[in-house]
Amino acid sequence: MLPKLMLSKPMFSRHCSPQHLLISRVDAIGDVVLTLPLLGLLKQAHPQMRVTFLGRGYTRAVLEACVHVDAIVDFDELEQLPEAEQIRTVAALNCDAVLHVFPHRAVAKLCDRVGIARRLGTAHRWYHVRYCNRLTMMGRSRTAWHEAQLNVQLAQRLGLLVSDEHNEPPALQELAQYYGLSVSAYWPEGLSHANTLPTSLSIPADSGDRYSMRDRRVIVHPGSRGSARNWPITHFVELVERLLAEGAQVYVTGTEAEGVGFRRDFAPVFERGALDMTGCLSLEQLLGFIQAADALVAASTGPLHVAAALGKVALGIYPPLRPMHAGRWGPLGPQAMALTAGDALCTACRQTDKMCACMAAVSPDRVAETLRSVVGK
């Protein structure tokens, strides 16, 4: 049973407590995953409340796997409709409140046009001042809180949840228990029916006879879809070489476009036994594959946060720069870890948006040793 946090009477009066809440977060997979603990807390505070999530189509598999989500609206499909049809579609949901976790002008305007009674958001976006009727002054870029805590803090400040006497969100170790994510339906059935996958990609059963990293199943996910600073591909290749030398089973995942970009670099380790799974898996299959693995290594990206939410060893590599540092975007879970190197004030790193010396300063040896100390027990 999940622990109950100290929640007192919400700012909404008892008879006005939301019966159907629309959560708007129309950005990436990692952002959505870090919003799921908020949904768990909302369900605890309002057991009868229905939650509909407005998100991007490519995040649907994550939302469908979350027990806290009652319904999903695909924003990519919604925005293709004529405005009048968009209004009718959202009005048909009969939501009495919307929480704009991720500010988006078109969504805020639409919810205002629909006439949702309580439209909640941050006043740090001018269009929220126009389209929302309950606001809080809350910025994120310079805060010391983690993204998952900021999501909860937003709900606290707007009256959906009540904070403690210090107006602080729950600790990260508490939030990690509220994901409500279950991907068992995606594995093994989801993968075994994928005709495009060779049978050799089936993850073998746990032999029970392990030493160090031998037979440990490690996913390496080099890409980030441009959402984060990347760890050098050469570092990923060196890491895979070390893991293979210790007997680990290594799977390289990513989109087909990412695979095209780095397959040539990985060719030597693919020849030695690492498996190229780039472009092979749907999101549902990737979620199931992560569930069946022992660990995942990546920069700050969606699959890393999924692995953390599923309780896997999730090792993320981060720059020290705010606001992209691990303190804000690190993986959140019982076996989640983040490695960082370099100077948080590094001018050279601030002048690039892709690769930086601080990321390169996290060595493959350090990553391999960290994995060995946790996964190889």
Side-chain angles (χ1 to χ4, degrees):
M1 178 177 293
L2 294 177
K4 282 193 175 264
L5 301 182
M6 297 300 294
L7 298 172
S8 55
K9 187 176 181 180
M11 287 173 59
F12 286 126
S13 62
R14 189 179 185 90
H15 66 278
C16 290
S17 182
Q19 297 300 306
H20 190 176
L21 176 66
L22 180 65
I23 295 286
S24 173
R25 180 116 212 190
V26 292
D27 45 355
I29 293 173
D31 307 286
V32 169
V33 172
L34 292 178
T35 306
L36 301 184
L38 165 62
L39 307 189
L41 291 177
L42 288 170
K43 284 289 193 174
Q44 176 180 282
H46 309 278
Q48 305 304 315
M49 184 174 67
R50 181 175 173 82
V51 171
T52 292
F53 200 108
L54 176 65
R56 294 285 181 182
Y58 68 89
T59 68
R60 175 179 285 274
V62 173
L63 295 170
E64 289 178 338
C66 180
V67 299
H68 308 311
V69 177
D70 298 301
I72 302 166
V73 176
D74 187 329
F75 178 68
D76 296 321
E77 294 178 355
L78 183 68
E79 67 176 347
Q80 297 303 313
L81 300 175
E83 184 178 14
E85 186 61 27
Q86 291 182 29
I87 293 173
R88 283 193 293 269
T89 299
V90 176
L93 298 173
N94 291 318
C95 295
D96 55 340
V98 54
L99 177 62
H100 297 285
V101 181
F102 176 75
H104 190 284
R105 180 182 177 183
V107 175
K109 179 180 178 180
L110 175 60
C111 292
D112 175 61
R113 293 289 302 276
V114 169
I116 296 177
R118 294 170 181 81
R119 303 180 301 281
L120 318 174
T122 171
H124 275 239
R125 294 293 188 272
W126 67 265
Y127 47 84
H128 277 182
V129 176
R130 179 175 180 180
Y131 297 126
C132 295
N133 56 12
R134 178 167 288 187
L135 297 165
T136 181
M137 291 297 297
M138 178 180 167
R140 297 194 180 213
S141 61
R142 298 184 180 182
T143 180
W145 298 110
H146 189 277
E147 179 71 7
Q149 292 174 313
L150 290 169
N151 294 333
V152 174
Q153 194 170 61
L154 179 66
Q156 290 173 333
R157 292 189 177 193
L158 290 167
L160 287 169
L161 295 171
V162 174
S163 64
D164 61 21
E165 59 182 327
H166 303 294
N167 197 32
E168 295 185 353
L172 292 177
Q173 60 268 28
E174 293 178 300
L175 286 180
Q177 302 176 69
Y178 285 86
Y179 280 113
L181 198 62
S182 175
V183 300
S184 57
Y186 297 151
W187 178 270
E189 292 82 2
L191 189 58
S192 63
H193 289 97
N195 296 327
T196 57
L197 291 177
T199 56
S200 61
L201 291 184
S202 298
I203 292 184
D206 189 339
S207 66
D209 180 18
R210 295 183 172 186
Y211 176 76
S212 185
M213 293 297 292
R214 182 166 302 281
D215 294 331
R216 299 300 190 186
R217 298 158 294 195
V218 181
I219 295 173
V220 171
H221 193 87
S224 66
R225 294 178 59 125
S227 64
R229 295 289 174 86
N230 293 317
W231 201 41
I233 290 296
T234 54
H235 283 24
F236 273 111
V237 174
E238 289 182 34
L239 172 64
V240 174
E241 290 175 343
R242 285 161 173 73
L243 295 176
L244 290 174
E246 294 190 21
Q249 299 168 9
V250 182
Y251 309 86
V252 181
T253 57
T255 65
E256 174 60 24
E258 289 168 339
V260 169
F262 59 63
R263 282 195 188 109
R264 181 176 299 179
D265 299 290
F266 277 88
V269 292
F270 288 151
E271 292 176 359
R272 291 180 53 192
L275 291 176
D276 179 8
M277 300 184 66
T278 56
C280 292
L281 304 175
S282 66
L283 180 56
E284 290 89 345
Q285 293 164 348
L286 177 60
L287 297 181
F289 205 77
I290 292 172
Q291 176 68 73
D294 294 306
L296 185 146
V297 180
S300 179
T301 188
L304 177 71
H305 293 293
V306 168
L310 293 174
K312 301 297 174 177
V313 172
L315 198 163
I317 303 166
Y318 287 77
L321 307 178
R322 292 177 178 270
M324 62 187 73
H325 65 308
R328 170 74 183 277
W329 291 104
L332 174 60
Q335 297 194 88
M337 299 171 290
L339 297 181
T340 301
D343 182 358
L345 300 178
C346 179
T347 302
C349 292
R350 291 190 180 278
Q351 293 175 345
T352 179
D353 60 357
K354 293 185 178 180
M355 189 62 65
C356 64
C358 294
M359 291 292 285
V362 180
S363 71
D365 281 336
R366 183 182 173 193
V367 175
E369 179 57 35
T370 303
L371 275 176
R372 190 181 304 115
S373 67
V374 180
V375 186
K377 290 181 179 179

